[in-house]
Amino acid sequence: MAEHAVVIAGGGPAGMMLAAELALANVDVLVVEQRPDHVLVGSRAGGIHSRTIEVLDQRGVADRFLAEGQAVQAAMFGTTVLDMSDFPTRHPYSLGIWQNKIERIMADWIAELPVRISYGCEVTGFTQDDTGVEVELSDGPPLRAQYLVGCDGGRSTVRKTAGIEFPGWDATKSNLIAEVEVTEEPPQGIRTDAIGVHGLHRMEDGRTVRVVVTERRLGPSTDPTLGDLSEALVAVYGTDFGIHSPIWISRFTDMTRQASAYRSGRVLLAGDAAHVHYPAGGQGLSLGVQDAVNLGWKLAQVVKGTSPESLLDTYRDERHPVAARALRYTMASGLLQRGDERTRALVDVVSELASMDEPRRRLAGIISGLDIRYDLGEGHPLLGRRMPDLDLATADGPLRVFTLLHEAEPVFLNLGEGGGVDVTPWAGRVRMIDAEYVGPWELPIIGAVPAPGAVLIRPDGYVAWVGDGTDTGVGDALATWFGAP
Ligand SMILES: Cc1cc2nc3c(=O)[nH]c(=O)nc-3n(C[C@H](O)[C@H](O)[C@H](O)COP(=O)(O)OP(=O)(O)OC[C@H]3O[C@@H](n4cnc5c(N)ncnc54)[C@H](O)[C@@H]3O)c2cc1C
């Protein structure tokens, strides 16, 4: 039976990101993807938010996405745009880029890494024991893996087979989304009415139109047809614009659910397999990519035996609350997209409030993911928060902090006089850098924070320890996150 350290079910954004993280950590990984290749039919998600751009920047690949997208102020709550151009980050914006482009760029990236992908094959089930997981496939003999990760989307076979509950809220409304050709030129842009929010956009090919239309009644779970789309368009616009030749038609709803556990033994979940919600605010893809970046280095260390299996529990502890919060805000945001008079009155009030500085920053911090703080205890405001991408001066010349994270390794950054902290026992695992930084220390939402003497940065870019000139607690932090010395 073929064996791999990790098998990932699903090669969407979460699965590909996780595969990259494991490959960077030299872990043998196989992705099993049911599609015949990486091509995603239809545009689907419209972009990624600031923290996700940063995460890609931490791996040195953000430029590939920036080159094919458009920087926009698109962090939204309800129908209110939350300008975040004053946030202290190199990427104080969202990136408008269709999901099929995102997936193509990711697929090209992981093709450069030692990632194996088995296309046209489905994970149909699994059984697990104390030493591994036997993964059943639609095509061919089963595989053996130390760990199986379900990145197989909202209807996750892995989640269901693991018996992990998916509590939440049933759908109350549905939208049709499609790319079609038309015989009449439709009005471009967003329209809000008593039914909900609708949008018509001519695609880059100049031929097709992307249609998103709210249905008058919650649609069935069957695949929508051109007839359904026509009916929904006529209800809103009085015409269907002569739609024909659909590239794809799909239906999404405001069903909101989150897996009660992110791990069952040797089986884990990430991305939409762990949480689904209405796309208001456009956070789903970003959440999945960040799940993968949180999980990847932890799983790599457990597979290599550097860390105990309990490190994997921190994945759920850290990422479950982030998604739970996104689900709450998305439900609220989705409600604000209704167009009846009473909701419009509420939207006006919320818009007025959200345009004020503090609420704007707070909401933009949530949507962008820049405000995430993992609970690593009390201490300096940097603890548990993302490390800013500072311009450092080192003996080898200028260096950006994010450049230090390209290999997905932990970094001990000494910004003080040198000496003091002895991290030699972890020298093979943690990269040590002496550097100077003279600029301001500023965090999104929080503002200015005191300059630390040293920081321990995890491979996902979050700060695991902050030094005040002494080495108090550094040994514990190193052992907690990167194994016993
Ligand atoms: C209209 C719309 C707009 C959106 N807009 C945004 C946005 O602007 N920003 C944003 O962040 N998110 C947005 N989203 C959400 C986003 O599309 C998803 O959250 C994202 O695709 C989730 O990524 P994933 O990798 O977890 O799952 P998926 O993208 O669903 O990928 C799962 C993969 O697993 C494969 N698979 C499934 N089952 C199996 C199996 N048993 N075996 C093997 N392979 C399997 C599938 O073929 C697929 O490739 C939007 C969604 C919709 C519908």
Side-chain angles (χ1 to χ4, degrees):
M1 192 184 299
E3 286 198 25
H4 297 277
V6 178
V7 168
I8 299 172
M16 284 195 274
M17 192 73 210
L18 181 61
E21 293 293 294
L22 291 166
L24 286 169
N26 299 314
V27 168
D28 160 39
V29 56
L30 172 78
V31 180
V32 179
E33 166 56 51
Q34 70 183 8
R35 284 180 276 162
D37 52 37
H38 71 265
V39 176
L40 182 67
V41 179
S43 47
R44 207 165 160 188
I48 48 178
H49 290 300
S50 177
R51 180 58 189 152
T52 309
I53 306 169
E54 283 196 344
V55 155
L56 296 166
D57 208 358
Q58 287 177 178
R59 298 297 178 255
V61 294
D63 287 348
R64 302 180 188 202
F65 297 85
L66 294 173
E68 295 205 35
Q70 224 183 349
V72 280
Q73 288 303 329
M76 286 182 70
F77 185 65
T79 51
T80 310
V81 176
L82 308 156
D83 191 300
M84 48 171 287
S85 47
D86 59 342
F87 274 15
T89 161
R90 277 182 216 272
H91 307 290
Y93 46 77
S94 303
L95 187 68
I97 176 169
W98 298 120
Q99 184 165 344
N100 48 7
K101 271 194 189 172
I102 294 174
E103 294 202 20
R104 197 229 318 128
I105 298 168
M106 289 184 121
D108 288 348
W109 174 37
I110 63 171
E112 297 162 17
L113 300 169
V115 170
R116 269 176 276 192
I117 306 195
S118 182
Y119 283 114
C121 184
E122 208 177 310
V123 169
T124 52
F126 64 84
T127 49
Q128 61 169 317
D129 55 43
D130 289 346
T131 58
V133 189
E134 195 171 307
V135 184
E136 291 146 27
L137 305 175
S138 57
D139 187 11
L143 297 168
R144 181 97 186 150
Q146 289 177 50
Y147 287 89
L148 168 67
V149 188
C151 295
D152 49 347
R155 296 183 179 141
S156 172
T157 300
V158 173
R159 185 188 68 236
K160 289 176 192 159
T161 310
I164 295 174
E165 297 202 349
F166 203 39
W169 297 268
D170 288 337
T172 63
K173 64 173 175 176
S174 59
N175 292 61
L176 296 177
I177 181 166
E179 275 167 53
V180 287
E181 292 185 38
V182 288
T183 54
E184 285 168 45
E185 190 56 32
Q188 298 288 303
I190 306 277
R191 173 182 292 195
T192 308
D193 63 15
I195 300 174
V197 176
H198 325 282
L200 299 168
H201 295 278
R202 178 116 356 231
M203 297 296 283
E204 288 154 354
D205 63 9
R207 192 170 49 87
T208 47
V209 173
R210 175 168 151 124
V211 179
V212 180
V213 59
T214 309
E215 294 183 281
R216 238 201 285 230
R217 281 176 300 279
L218 178 64
S221 55
T222 49
D223 288 339
T225 62
L226 198 60
D228 296 330
L229 185 63
S230 166
E231 195 183 306
L233 281 168
V234 170
V236 175
Y237 295 93
T239 169
D240 70 359
F241 308 106
I243 51 166
H244 63 95
S245 311
I247 292 177
W248 67 297
I249 308 179
S250 185
R251 176 180 277 119
F252 63 88
T253 74
D254 64 348
M255 180 174 74
T256 304
R257 295 185 180 277
Q258 186 172 20
S260 53
Y262 279 20
R263 173 161 90 95
S264 167
R266 291 176 168 270
V267 177
L268 294 122
L269 302 175
D272 275 19
H275 37 73
V276 293
H277 57 80
Y278 194 60
Q283 292 183 74
L285 194 154
S286 287
L287 281 173
V289 167
Q290 290 178 50
D291 284 349
V293 172
N294 186 289
L295 174 61
W297 64 276
K298 295 174 181 172
L299 186 53
Q301 288 184 185
V302 173
V303 164
K304 290 176 180 172
T306 320
S307 295
E309 214 179 33
S310 57
L311 183 66
L312 295 177
D313 295 331
T314 68
Y315 163 59
R316 193 260 179 209
D317 294 346
E318 294 179 349
R319 294 302 301 169
H320 191 281
V322 172
R325 185 180 71 167
L327 262 52
R328 267 197 7 261
Y329 274 80
T330 305
M331 281 199 286
S333 193
L335 276 183
L336 292 172
Q337 291 186 344
R338 289 189 180 153
D340 61 282
E341 290 298 318
R342 283 166 199 275
T343 307
R344 258 188 236 175
L346 179 63
V347 167
D348 287 347
V349 174
V350 171
S351 297
E352 211 176 303
L353 293 173
S355 67
M356 294 163 78
D357 231 28
E358 197 172 329
R360 171 186 63 83
R361 275 192 273 126
R362 197 184 156 109
L363 289 168
I366 292 168
I367 308 285
S368 64
L370 286 172
D371 76 331
I372 291 171
R373 177 183 173 269
Y374 298 136
D375 184 7
L376 307 189
E378 296 294 307
H380 191 285
L382 268 171
L383 190 63
R385 290 200 164 87
R386 68 183 247 302
M387 178 68 190
D389 186 21
L390 309 175
D391 287 305
L392 305 172
T394 73
D396 297 328
L399 193 67
R400 281 172 53 188
V401 167
F402 283 7
T403 306
L404 293 170
L405 294 168
H406 284 185
E407 304 305 321
E409 286 170 342
V411 174
F412 186 87
L413 184 60
N414 180 29
L415 297 155
E417 293 298 300
V421 176
D422 180 18
V423 288
T424 323
W426 287 271
R429 270 177 251 159
V430 179
R431 193 163 165 200
M432 322 279 171
I433 299 285
D434 288 322
E436 273 180 33
Y437 173 68
V438 288
W441 283 84
E442 210 186 345
L443 296 179
I445 334 297
I446 307 258
V449 300
V455 282
L456 177 62
I457 311 167
R458 307 191 318 190
D460 57 0
Y462 288 83
V463 176
W465 175 84
V466 183
D468 56 3
T470 73
D471 63 357
T472 309
V474 73
D476 286 348
L478 283 159
T480 300
W481 297 109
F482 311 116

